[in-house]
Amino acid sequence: MSLSRREFARNSALTGAGVALTGTVGALATAPGALAAEEYGPAGHGHPHEPGYGPLLPDPKGVLALPKGFSYRIVTHSGVTRLESGETTPSNHDGTAAFEGARGAVLLVNNHELKGPRQNWPHPVPLTEGLVYDPAASGGCTVVEVRPHGGPVAEWVGIAGTSTNCAGGATPWGTWLTCEETEDRAGFNGMTKDHGYVFEVDPHDRRANRAPRPVKALGRYAHEAVVVDPRRGHLYLTEDASGPNGLLYRWTPPHGFKHGRGRLRTLADDAGVLQATRCFDTGGRFVDDLSRATRTGTVYGVDWVDVPDRDARTTSVRKQFTGEQVTRARKLEGMWWGDGGAYLVSSYARDESPVPHDGQVWFYDPRRRTLTLKVLLGVNPDPGADGAFDGPDNITVSPYGGLVIAEDGEGVQHLFGATDSGRTYPIARNELNQGTEQEPEYSEFTGVTFSPDGHTLFANIQEPGIMLAITGPWRRQPR
């Protein structure tokens, strides 16, 4: 049922111009140099305790700067550590989720964002027998088992022969949905099968991953991330694309469908309904692009519009809509389910969008059918200087309050936190310089996720491909 503009405007008036916040992350403000709603004031003002863990200390090993009392362990390293089958760990680590394993172990499913033919990459995902979708493709996922008390690490292939595995999402039933951020078809870029799909990977049951099959019901486009509404059964998906900008999608399962391990791969290609967002403001006016929001606390009503051809047989899904049919956004990236809704990221906007910014985090409330802007980062004037944050990408909801965000911006790269009331603080800084002393280059952070017990924060340095386990005196953050 559509949420009428008149109904939304009336409800918004009753809740104070639509700024009625839900979830535990209130109206998150911003990092240094960012735009924030005036009512929240500058970071640190009027609060008795500063958030975070103090300044970041340089790493003598030149890998990861952390606050005092924190330490890291390298879990996997592309070209250095090895899989159970003997090959080296694949490169370009991306989206990751952590699951409870046997005897206190943590199982992590780790995407490897490798696009195009295998010969283009020195460390592609190995073509393990029975786990290959397209033998020409270089990407896929590995499963990493981290045993307690610093025990040995094991790693094996979860799926191979997929392309550009960027983010994805964990399911309530304990599996990983890996997303292909590409629209390559068979015969293009060396591929032998169509790509741009979502696949399910089971970290607990290796047999369940054999003969991989794409979940075509979720559409074929440049998938970024996905979350599952555990109550209603909907899946929400982001698209990282431009020319035109990408879309936020919702998939509604067919009547009578029951979620569970391996159930998605049994669906017909046209099962359920795939839809894209169409937003409007409190005055009932259509919103063409999410970059239009220039204040945290902005709330948009959401309608859902059916996708005409979800497999994009002749036209990319996002290009099947014109004019005022849908609401777009540049670089729709990471997602995480928490507080009864979906957090989702738009990394930045430039000339292709109505209003430039260096990052947004939105919260979709399925009950109210609204999108609320939680974080808005202004354009960073000096990305090479430490201190400001830009380009949010992968995110996770922290067990200690607020969000933890992986930075994929220009210049210096961080993991940073955002408290419930909107203050931000650094957690880590990438010190692995892949450039020169005169022109340093630092890869983005990806795959930020906490262990099931909340004691360890896992994150990746995408290039060359390093998974890190960060431990320390975590504590509940002030609001």
Side-chain angles (χ1 to χ4, degrees):
M1 181 179 69
S2 297
L3 177 65
S4 75
R5 296 165 184 77
R6 184 173 299 174
E7 177 187 359
F8 176 67
R10 183 176 64 251
N11 291 345
S12 298
L14 293 173
T15 57
V19 192
L21 302 173
T22 60
T24 62
V25 184
L28 293 173
T30 56
L35 303 173
E38 292 176 3
E39 59 266 36
Y40 298 105
H45 177 72
H47 295 272
H49 303 291
E50 290 300 313
Y53 303 94
L56 302 180
L57 305 179
D59 179 10
K61 296 180 180 179
V63 178
L64 195 69
L66 292 168
K68 183 179 179 180
F70 283 78
S71 62
Y72 69 88
R73 174 190 180 191
I74 293 179
V75 179
T76 66
H77 189 163
S78 176
V80 178
T81 54
R82 292 190 176 272
L83 308 183
E84 289 182 343
S85 49
E87 300 94 342
T88 56
T89 295
S91 64
N92 291 65
H93 296 27
D94 210 292
T96 307
F99 304 88
E100 187 173 345
R103 296 179 293 278
V106 176
L107 295 173
L108 298 114
V109 186
N110 184 203
N111 279 358
H112 298 277
E113 190 182 17
L114 300 164
K115 181 178 176 66
R118 300 181 62 77
Q119 60 267 28
N120 291 355
W121 301 96
H123 303 291
V125 177
L127 297 178
T128 302
E129 184 180 358
L131 300 177
V132 180
Y133 170 66
D134 180 352
S138 51
C141 299
T142 53
V143 181
V144 181
E145 182 183 50
V146 180
R147 293 161 191 165
H149 313 301
V153 172
E155 185 177 16
W156 59 89
V157 173
I159 188 172
T162 51
S163 178
T164 326
N165 298 70
C166 198
T171 69
W173 51 92
T175 62
W176 171 251
L177 299 177
T178 182
C179 294
E180 293 188 304
E181 188 194 327
T182 181
E183 296 180 64
D184 286 352
R185 278 200 173 279
F188 180 80
N189 205 15
M191 299 297 98
T192 66
K193 290 186 176 181
D194 291 348
H195 291 268
Y197 294 116
V198 176
F199 296 78
E200 186 170 20
V201 178
D202 192 328
H204 302 92
D205 185 357
R206 303 192 196 197
R207 294 171 299 176
N209 298 325
R210 297 186 68 82
R213 181 178 184 271
V215 186
K216 292 189 176 182
L218 302 180
R220 194 184 71 81
Y221 48 88
H223 285 273
E224 176 70 29
V226 55
V227 295
V228 181
D229 181 338
R231 179 180 176 186
R232 300 164 185 84
H234 294 129
L235 273 66
Y236 296 91
L237 309 103
T238 50
E239 178 183 28
D240 183 359
S242 60
N245 284 346
L247 304 172
L248 170 65
Y249 298 93
R250 180 184 72 177
W251 179 77
T252 302
H255 180 72
F257 178 78
K258 300 294 183 183
H259 281 296
R261 286 185 175 172
R263 293 283 296 139
L264 287 171
R265 64 185 291 167
T266 69
L267 288 164
D269 294 350
D270 61 351
V273 180
L274 184 67
Q275 299 171 303
T277 48
R278 186 177 191 275
C279 298
F280 47 92
D281 64 17
T282 55
R285 295 175 291 269
F286 167 70
V287 178
D288 61 339
D289 195 284
L290 292 182
S291 69
R292 295 285 186 189
T294 58
R295 289 172 59 89
T296 54
T298 297
V299 179
Y300 292 146
V302 175
D303 276 341
W304 296 97
V305 183
D306 289 359
V307 170
D309 172 20
R310 72 181 82 186
D311 204 49
R313 286 166 290 196
T314 60
T315 305
S316 296
V317 172
R318 70 185 184 283
K319 296 179 182 179
Q320 295 171 27
F321 300 97
T322 59
E324 296 190 357
Q325 290 181 294
V326 291
T327 299
R328 304 182 183 276
R330 181 73 170 101
K331 284 194 71 66
L332 286 168
E333 297 269 7
M335 304 182 79
W336 201 270
W337 185 269
D339 304 319
Y343 291 94
L344 59 123
V345 167
S346 170
S347 278
Y348 65 79
R350 291 294 185 268
D351 293 343
E352 79 291 327
S353 304
V355 182
H357 62 74
D358 257 343
Q360 296 176 327
V361 180
W362 293 84
F363 179 79
Y364 178 70
D365 183 339
R367 183 181 62 85
R368 296 182 63 211
R369 287 173 287 171
T370 55
L371 272 170
T372 302
L373 183 60
K374 301 291 190 177
V375 177
L376 176 57
L377 306 183
V379 175
N380 187 351
D382 188 5
D386 194 16
F389 306 131
D390 60 89
D393 196 323
N394 290 176
I395 59 171
T396 189
V397 173
S398 171
Y400 304 97
L403 300 173
V404 175
I405 301 170
E407 191 175 15
D408 177 18
E410 300 291 334
V412 182
Q413 306 293 328
H414 300 87
L415 297 174
F416 65 95
T419 69
D420 294 350
S421 64
R423 292 175 293 166
T424 57
Y425 57 92
I427 296 173
R429 181 178 64 245
N430 179 8
E431 295 197 330
L432 188 63
N433 183 6
Q434 296 181 290
T436 65
E437 185 176 352
Q438 292 74 28
E439 296 183 1
E441 294 181 13
Y442 300 96
S443 176
E444 66 180 277
F445 279 109
T446 63
V448 58
T449 185
F450 277 93
S451 59
D453 63 10
H455 294 165
T456 304
L457 176 65
F458 293 95
N460 308 312
I461 297 174
Q462 186 177 65
E463 296 178 16
I466 298 175
M467 179 184 287
L468 301 155
I470 303 169
T471 54
W474 303 108
R475 64 174 182 269
R476 187 78 186 176
Q477 290 299 306
R479 293 184 59 83

